[in-house]
Amino acid sequence: MRDGDEFAAFTPAVLLDGAQVGRLTVRAASVRGDSHNWEGSCRQDAMVVTRVGPPEAEFLLLAIADGVGSAKYSHTGSHLVVRQAALHLDQEAESIHAALTTQDEGELRGLANKAIARAVTELSAGQDYATTLHVLLVPTDARIRERVVFSVGDGGLFVLREGRWEQGNPVDDGSLLDTRTEALPHAYRSVKAKLLRTEPGEVLLLGTDGITNPLTQKDPEFAQRLANAWGGPEVPSLSDFLWQAQTRAKSYDDDRTVICVWEKPE
């Protein structure tokens, strides 16, 4: 604390959250990685689980961010950006809902860029920040089957379908910076957006690269253990989810943040 970084001093090593909204159940955990434990540094990942929008255009909003270690105050930036993104996306909820129901990805991309640009301006000027950001919006109206993903940087969305993990991230259209360097507030050009249709029984996983890298790089044992844990008939309790989220993956020791969504069939 005496180095002046009070935020780091009071950042918990583990954050656990959950929600039940109609037929949707959420489990969320953010855990400090072994590398940061060894260094004595704080958790640089951040997450938000909340509801946005009025009743007629309500969303479950899930957001994660991974502070880039090369920037001195990335741990602060990641926590600020998930909250500011939620606040500004709440202001655009009715427009996002309208674009979602008409499946207008171009409009959704424009709304996302507007909201995230405004969120970035809320970050303290002059601070050394660099952070990824991924947001998943799930309508609370079960009749709407589309979800929308907004992304900047690595990490992102996976869908568990029939026991297998499938990537659900927006595709780079070629106009963006390389995702290895893409980060807010400066090293990005625009927010990627994607519409995703899911069905009850499928599991959505939003995660930072501490969990998505082992899945992306096809660690069969790691991927199968999580599929078995989270693809069963019962949603895990908060304590079980935290334990499962800490499943070891060889050579991966970064912070790990993961939010999963289950939808109960009718």
Side-chain angles (χ1 to χ4, degrees):
M1 187 184 303
R2 292 187 179 184
D3 65 0
D5 193 346
E6 294 181 3
F7 189 92
F10 291 113
T11 298
V14 176
L15 187 63
L16 185 63
D17 201 357
Q20 181 78 47
V21 182
R23 298 206 304 267
L24 300 171
T25 302
V26 179
R27 298 287 183 260
S30 185
V31 181
R32 183 167 63 182
D34 289 342
S35 59
H36 289 160
N37 286 330
W38 178 260
E39 296 165 357
S41 56
C42 73
R43 175 172 50 85
Q44 295 179 330
D45 280 6
M47 69 179 190
V48 158
V49 175
T50 190
R51 295 161 77 170
V52 297
E56 68 276 10
E58 186 181 63
F59 292 95
L60 183 62
L61 181 148
L62 314 171
I64 58 168
D66 179 1
V68 179
S70 57
K72 184 176 181 180
Y73 293 107
S74 285
H75 54 287
T76 308
S78 63
H79 285 77
L80 289 174
V81 79
V82 290
R83 287 158 176 77
Q84 291 301 324
L87 289 171
H88 289 289
L89 287 168
D90 177 49
Q91 296 172 9
E92 300 292 343
E94 290 94 334
S95 297
I96 292 171
H97 191 273
L100 188 64
T101 55
T102 59
Q103 301 186 31
D104 189 340
E105 282 196 15
E107 178 66 10
L108 286 168
R109 191 175 300 112
L111 291 166
N113 276 287
K114 176 183 176 183
I116 302 309
R118 289 164 60 193
V120 166
T121 64
E122 301 291 334
L123 301 182
S124 300
Q127 293 285 5
D128 187 11
Y129 296 142
T131 179
T132 67
L133 175 67
H134 298 273
V135 180
L136 173 63
L137 290 172
V138 182
T140 58
D141 184 346
R143 296 170 297 179
I144 303 175
R145 303 309 319 159
E146 283 71 32
R147 289 80 177 92
V148 60
V149 188
F150 301 142
S151 296
V152 175
D154 51 15
L157 185 71
F158 279 75
V159 184
L160 182 60
R161 291 189 173 110
E162 299 180 350
R164 300 182 63 181
W165 294 105
E166 300 177 7
Q167 287 199 39
N169 286 339
V171 177
D172 192 337
D173 63 6
S175 65
L176 306 176
L177 296 180
D178 191 293
T179 56
R180 290 174 295 180
T181 60
E182 195 178 12
L184 299 166
H186 305 301
Y188 87 109
R189 293 178 184 166
S190 64
V191 179
K192 290 178 285 186
K194 179 179 180 177
L195 279 171
L196 181 73
R197 184 178 181 86
T198 65
E199 298 298 334
E202 297 174 343
V203 181
L204 299 176
L205 181 156
L206 192 68
T208 57
D209 60 7
I211 197 165
T212 62
N213 275 354
L215 292 177
T216 301
Q217 297 172 19
K218 297 179 175 61
D219 181 330
E221 183 179 355
F222 178 84
Q224 192 58 54
R225 287 180 68 183
L226 291 187
N228 292 341
W230 295 339
E234 300 295 329
V235 175
S237 66
L238 283 171
S239 58
D240 283 345
F241 183 78
L242 175 61
W243 175 71
Q244 294 154 356
Q246 296 178 84
T247 298
R248 295 284 179 173
K250 187 177 180 180
S251 77
Y252 294 100
D253 59 0
D254 196 7
D255 292 348
R256 179 177 292 178
T257 299
V258 56
I259 304 176
C260 287
V261 185
W262 289 263
E263 182 178 1
K264 183 179 179 180
E266 292 187 53

